[in-house]
Every structure is written in structure tokens, then in C-alpha cells.
């Protein structure tokens, strides 16, 4: 039976007092599970007294390095759970930082291998290619190793989190913020594919819940998606996606203009 998780404050105290004590491995493993359970659950994480902790997850991966006998098959899957949590923080560099501590032999095994591919696709902003890879993680039996006939509870936990709405919406929210910070407008078809949404109505529904500041110094917020018209999505104006006073640019940044420049650069190479 999995150990009961400590609270976030108790984990912080543990990290401050005796982070690299091997006796802490089971406590840190339980906290990783609690974080993933919070993602998979419809219950707000704060009600579970659980918060994402990169420091705690990194410490566990380091302990596996220091004490390899404590890792085993279970530890490989728990490392994947920690990597999954780091992936959700994109575009933060948490995944990159954590992956530097994960041995190549573990990164080459499922489900960690698929998480690495997902991270690479996000880093390259190949958002539409990301989703099919990400959905593979929602199949508990995917990537089962030879001779493995029973799916572990930790692997099932990962699939539950992937199949829930929280993880997808967290990644989707970060994706659309990146698009909106780069482009004032973009083709509807491109945005739908990038966010893995079915239609205009789905985008409007999702976009209306993602809020951004109404302007520099303003305390008010506006929906990230300003309008959808003529096959284009217009994002809320920001300092990043519009012209600045005294700038040489004559208009806000548009997706087609940037895409054309990228195509020309690729052809020259």
C-alpha cells in the first residue's frame, strides 16, 4: 500500500532539515503521487494540501542517483510521474532541469521516453504534433516492457492524470498564452490544431476563461481571445504583440508574416 503523503509544509520542512536522507525516499515518492493525484482529481489541489514542488521532485530523483538500490522498477515509473509534473509547467524549464538528472537508461524506457518526446515537441513549438504523443500516455498498457503483464498503480495514476481535463487545459492555457504573446492574429485552423480543439465554439469557450492584463499597469483583466472573424483569431492586444510608440514596425505582428519569413529562411538553408 502506498504511504500517506505529507502536506506541502511538512515536505518543505523535510527538505530544509534532511533533504538527502535515504529514509525520505518513501515520503518523497508519496508526495509525487499526491501531486499527480491532484492533477487527476476534480478536487482543487489546495483542498488536498498539495502543491507542485520542483524541489521535492528533484530531490527524489537525486536520491535515486545516490542510492540506486532504492529505485527499482517502481522508482522508474515514479521518476516518470515527476517528469510529467515538470512537463505541465511548460514553458518553464523545469522539465529540462529535471531531465538532466534522469539517467539515459530511464529516459529510454516508457513512459519516460514519450514524456521526453512531448517535451521536445513543446520546446520546438510543434504543438499540433504534441497532442498525439501526449495521448499515448493515457493508455495504461502503452509501452509495457517485455514480460510485464500487470499495469502498476503508478502507471494507472499517470494515465488518469493525462486523461483528465486539468493536465490538458494547463498545457493548452500555456500554449495559447505563447501564441498570443507572439501574434496579434493567427489563422483559426492553425490555432485549433495547436490547441487540439474541435471548432470555433470550443476555442471561444476555452479562450474566454484564459485572462490577461488589460494593459501595463492595469489591474483589470480581459479574455485572451478578443474575437474570431474571417477565419482568423485575434488575441488581446499586449506590449508583445503590437507596435510600440517610436517603433519602426508599421503594424502588429501577424502569424502569416512571421510564417513567411520562416519559410524563406528555411529555403536559404
Amino acid at each position: 500500500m502506498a504511504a500517506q503523503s505529507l502536506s506541502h509544509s511538512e515536505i518543505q520542512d523535510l527538505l530544509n532539515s534532511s533533504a538527502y536522507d535515504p529514509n525520505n525516499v518513501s515520503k518523497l515518492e508519496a508526495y509525487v503521487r499526491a501531486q499527480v493525484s491532484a492533477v487527476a482529481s476534480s478536487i482543487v489541489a489546495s483542498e488536498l494540501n498539495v502543491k507542485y514542488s520542483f524541489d521535492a521532485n528533484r530531490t527524489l530523483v537525486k536520491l535515486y542517483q545516490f542510492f540506486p538500490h532504492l529505485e527499482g522498477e517502481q522508482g522508474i515509473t515514479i521518476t516518470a510521474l515527476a517528469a510529467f509534473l515538470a512537463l505541465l509547467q511548460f514553458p518553464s524549464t523545469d522539465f529540462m532541469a529535471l531531465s538532466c538528472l534522469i539517467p539515459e537508461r530511464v529516459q529510454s524506457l516508457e513512459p519516460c521516453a514519450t514524456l521526453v518526446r512531448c517535451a521536445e515537441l513543446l520546446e520546438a513549438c510543434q504543438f499540433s504534433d504534441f497532442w498525439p504523443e501526449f495521448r499515448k500516455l493515457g493508455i495504461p498498457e502503452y509501452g509495457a516492457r517485455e514480460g510485464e503483464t500487470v499495469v502498476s498503480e503508478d502507471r494507472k495514476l499517470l494515465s488518469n492524470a493525462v486523461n483528465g481535463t486539468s493536465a490538458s487545459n494547463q498545457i493548452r492555457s500555456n500554449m495559447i498564452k505563447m501564441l498570443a504573446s507572439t501574434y496579434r492574429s493567427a489563422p483559426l485552423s492553425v490555432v485549433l490544431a495547436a490547441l487540439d480543439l474541435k471548432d470555433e465554439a470550443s476555442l471561444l469557450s476555452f479562450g474566454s476563461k484564459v485572462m490577461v492584463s488589460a494593459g501595463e499597469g492595469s489591474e483589470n483583466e480581459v479574455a485572451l481571445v478578443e474575437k474570431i472573424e474571417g477565419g482568423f483569431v485575434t488575441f488581446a492586444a499586449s506590449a508583445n504583440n503590437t507596435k510600440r510608440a517610436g517603433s519602426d514596425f508599421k503594424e502588429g505582428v501577424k502569424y502569416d508574416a512571421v510564417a513567411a519569413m520562416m519559410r524563406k529562411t528555411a529555403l536559404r538553408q
Side-chain angles (χ1 to χ4, degrees):
M1 180 179 289
Q4 185 175 358
S5 172
L6 300 177
S7 68
H8 179 71
S9 59
E10 289 171 329
I11 285 291
Q12 291 302 115
D13 290 342
L14 181 148
L15 294 176
N16 291 332
S17 62
S18 57
Y20 296 109
D21 183 340
N23 293 319
N24 291 335
V25 165
S26 61
K27 298 172 185 176
L28 293 170
E29 287 176 337
Y31 195 70
V32 168
R33 293 189 184 100
Q35 291 171 77
V36 179
S37 295
V39 174
S41 174
S42 59
I43 303 174
V44 179
S46 59
E47 295 180 15
L48 299 172
N49 203 11
V50 174
K51 293 180 182 178
Y52 169 69
S53 175
F54 175 73
D55 288 341
N57 302 342
R58 177 182 57 188
T59 299
L60 175 60
V61 174
K62 283 185 175 181
L63 282 167
Y64 285 150
Q65 284 186 321
F66 300 155
F67 308 98
H69 65 284
L70 296 177
E71 181 184 49
E73 287 296 315
Q74 175 179 275
I76 291 173
T77 307
I78 293 177
T79 295
L81 294 181
F84 165 74
L85 292 166
L87 185 76
L88 298 186
Q89 310 310 309
F90 171 81
S92 159
T93 58
D94 284 13
F95 188 94
M96 183 184 300
L98 190 67
S99 65
C100 291
L101 302 173
I102 301 174
E104 288 187 11
R105 64 175 176 80
V106 176
Q107 292 193 37
S108 66
L109 297 173
E110 295 295 351
C112 214
T114 296
L115 286 162
V116 170
R117 289 196 295 276
C118 286
E120 290 171 347
L121 291 168
L122 287 177
E123 187 68 24
C125 293
Q126 296 177 9
F127 297 155
S128 59
D129 295 328
F130 162 83
W131 294 105
E133 287 295 317
F134 186 66
R135 280 193 289 270
K136 291 177 183 177
L137 297 168
I139 305 170
E141 299 79 12
Y142 175 75
R145 292 185 276 282
E146 186 176 350
E148 188 176 19
T149 57
V150 179
V151 179
S152 70
E153 291 302 314
D154 289 327
R155 183 62 184 86
K156 291 177 183 177
L157 177 59
L158 175 61
S159 292
N160 289 339
V162 169
N163 292 329
T165 58
S166 179
S168 294
N169 282 342
Q170 185 172 339
I171 294 172
R172 194 173 282 125
S173 177
N174 291 334
M175 284 178 173
I176 197 172
K177 287 176 182 177
M178 286 189 67
L179 291 172
S181 68
T182 306
Y183 309 115
R184 181 73 168 98
S185 66
L188 174 61
S189 60
V190 171
V191 177
L192 291 177
L195 302 181
D196 194 39
L197 294 174
K198 294 185 299 182
D199 49 34
E200 180 178 326
S202 303
L203 177 57
L204 279 172
S205 175
F206 178 75
S208 65
K209 299 170 187 174
V210 183
M211 308 299 289
V212 293
S213 172
E216 189 174 349
S218 174
E219 296 182 358
N220 297 324
E221 292 187 328
V222 295
L224 192 64
V225 175
E226 187 174 288
K227 64 179 180 178
I228 302 176
E229 188 175 84
F232 277 81
V233 179
T234 300
F235 297 110
S238 70
N240 291 323
N241 67 12
T242 55
K243 64 181 180 180
R244 296 174 174 84
S247 170
D248 291 334
F249 293 103
K250 294 184 179 180
E251 59 180 18
V253 180
K254 293 186 178 180
Y255 181 90
D256 285 349
V258 176
M261 286 190 289
M262 294 296 290
R263 283 196 296 270
K264 289 180 182 178
T265 301
L267 287 172
R268 287 174 187 153
Q269 293 175 345

